[in-house]
Amino acid sequence: MSQTVKTAPAGAPAEASNRVQLGLSNRLLARPEIGALVAAIVIFIFFLVVAPSFRSAPSFFTVLYQSSTIGIVAVSVGLLMIGGEFDLSAGVITTTAGLFNAMFCYELGINLWVGAFLSLIFCLCIGFFNGYMVMRTGIPSFLITLGSFFVLQGANLGVTKLVTGSVSGPNTTQMAGSSSLKFIFAHVFQIGPVQLNITVIWWLIFAALAAYILQRTRIGNWIYAVGGNAASARAVGVPVTRVKIGLFMTVSFLGWFTGMHYLYNFNVLQAGNGVGNEFLYIIAAVVGGTLMTGGYGNTIGVALGSFIFGMTSLGIVYAGWDPNWFRAFLGVMLLLAVMVNLYVKKLSTTRKVG
């Protein structure tokens, strides 16, 4: 007795799939940075139309500089948010770094390079403290770093006034090491009719490096894992504590870097500077597609968010409008970004046919 085995016609699929196949447009929308890219294009075209002075090459390079001063720290803040944490001390630590460098060297009469190195160590210690306290106590990073914010803000004002008798740090122009540090942190390249500040180059380098780490390395996978679900990440062997402390120290490092730029670009720092910038870093990250719940985003989007900030802050001035409207725009942009990011996150989690 024989059996007849029925076979599927040639070319027929072996089994049906109930997975959802996304179209090209949805696959593009599922990219974290696509919303920021579209917004950047729209805002750029808008200011080209309404602000004639925005159309010049020098104005564009000024926008790039403005974007870079926020974008450098925003890169690390974006990484930290992907890792599921916040750092509200990121704004004032830039001023702390510069004041530490200037006052330490001024009082002891030593080379500014020594002060810059010690300032770096001090800032890294602050980042380590923030990360360690978050992981050791379980207190939300919002509260830990809010405490650090107030401590640093008070120390910036109190120590500066105690040392100099005012709320301004010492002038570094005539101090040893000033010119070489200025070249690294605040040099301006003259390219024809335009000026390119070196911070723009550093900003692009840091953003590209962070993007590579996130997308191509084990550390990047760890960052997404601890931001998505720290308990699950720990269960599969991810060093959650080390990753999160490292992210806080990265914020402190790029805060120090930006502080060095401010010091050697202006030579004198006001002790009250930096307050409020922490929110600009967070807004740049959120507008760039980073979810505030962690585990999602990339630094290319954060760079685009910083560029949107630079365009808007200067575009309003170029258009001749009241600059006070800038804060209102930031609020609207943040709300829209949160809603867009949630939609993009939903698309990104939709499974495709394997």
Side-chain angles (χ1 to χ4, degrees):
M1 182 176 180
S2 62
Q3 289 182 321
T4 303
V5 179
K6 295 182 179 181
T7 59
E15 60 179 85
S17 172
N18 59 359
R19 294 181 183 178
V20 177
Q21 174 70 55
L22 293 180
L24 176 61
S25 61
N26 280 347
R27 291 202 300 272
L28 288 175
L29 285 174
R31 296 289 303 174
E33 71 277 13
I34 195 66
L37 177 60
V38 173
I41 294 172
V42 171
I43 292 172
F44 183 75
I45 294 174
F46 174 75
F47 282 116
L48 281 179
V49 174
V50 303
S53 58
F54 187 81
R55 304 166 194 166
S56 67
S59 296
F60 179 73
F61 277 79
T62 303
V63 167
L64 287 179
Y65 169 68
Q66 181 79 350
S67 304
S68 69
T69 58
I70 294 298
I72 289 176
V73 185
V75 166
S76 57
V77 170
L79 289 175
L80 182 63
M81 290 175 61
I82 293 171
E85 305 293 347
F86 292 92
D87 190 344
L88 296 183
S89 66
V92 294
I93 202 172
T94 61
T95 304
T96 300
L99 290 174
F100 185 103
N101 186 184
M103 289 192 294
F104 187 86
C105 295
Y106 177 78
E107 287 297 306
L108 299 182
I110 59 178
N111 193 290
L112 286 167
W113 276 98
V114 177
F117 177 75
L118 294 176
S119 175
L120 172 60
I121 299 300
F122 179 70
C123 289
L124 291 177
C125 287
I126 294 172
F128 178 85
F129 172 81
N130 286 338
Y132 178 80
M133 290 299 293
V134 169
M135 301 308 298
R136 182 71 177 83
T137 65
I139 298 173
S141 56
F142 178 90
L143 295 176
I144 294 290
T145 58
L146 181 62
S148 298
F149 163 82
F150 284 118
V151 170
L152 293 176
Q153 182 188 20
N156 288 348
L157 292 166
V159 174
T160 303
K161 193 168 184 179
L162 181 66
V163 172
T164 66
S166 69
V167 292
S168 298
N171 192 309
T172 61
T173 305
Q174 302 301 322
M175 298 171 66
S178 176
S179 59
S180 54
L181 284 165
K182 184 179 181 68
F183 182 83
I184 293 175
F185 295 106
H187 184 69
V188 176
F189 298 94
Q190 188 69 41
I191 306 174
V194 301
Q195 293 183 327
L196 175 66
N197 198 293
I198 197 170
T199 54
V200 176
I201 299 174
W202 285 121
W203 170 43
L204 297 177
I205 290 173
F206 287 134
L209 178 61
Y212 175 82
I213 291 172
L214 275 179
Q215 301 298 326
R216 302 292 183 181
T217 70
R218 178 186 297 179
I219 295 176
N221 291 333
W222 288 350
I223 293 172
Y224 282 116
V226 300
N229 190 315
S232 298
R234 185 177 282 108
V236 296
V238 175
V240 175
T241 299
R242 281 187 291 162
V243 170
K244 292 208 174 189
I245 291 177
L247 290 173
F248 278 103
M249 294 179 71
T250 301
V251 173
S252 294
F253 168 69
L254 291 185
W256 168 83
F257 196 96
T258 301
M260 293 299 99
H261 165 70
Y262 287 144
L263 177 61
Y264 296 107
N265 190 58
F266 302 110
N267 299 313
V268 176
L269 284 181
Q270 299 296 316
N273 288 352
V275 177
N277 283 356
E278 60 278 354
F279 296 112
L280 300 181
Y281 306 145
I282 292 172
I283 290 172
V286 172
V287 170
T290 304
L291 289 183
M292 301 186 77
T293 52
Y296 186 79
N298 64 39
T299 53
I300 301 301
V302 176
L304 287 169
S306 303
F307 181 57
I308 290 173
F309 166 84
M311 281 196 296
T312 306
S313 60
L314 291 178
I316 288 175
V317 176
Y318 292 149
W321 301 338
D322 184 350
N324 291 318
W325 285 107
F326 173 65
R327 298 289 176 175
F329 176 83
L330 282 182
V332 172
M333 189 165 57
L334 179 61
L335 291 174
L336 290 175
V338 170
M339 291 186 288
V340 170
N341 291 348
L342 289 175
Y343 175 69
V344 170
K345 172 69 173 181
K346 182 179 178 180
L347 286 178
S348 70
T349 54
T350 303
R351 292 188 177 275
K352 299 178 286 184
V353 175

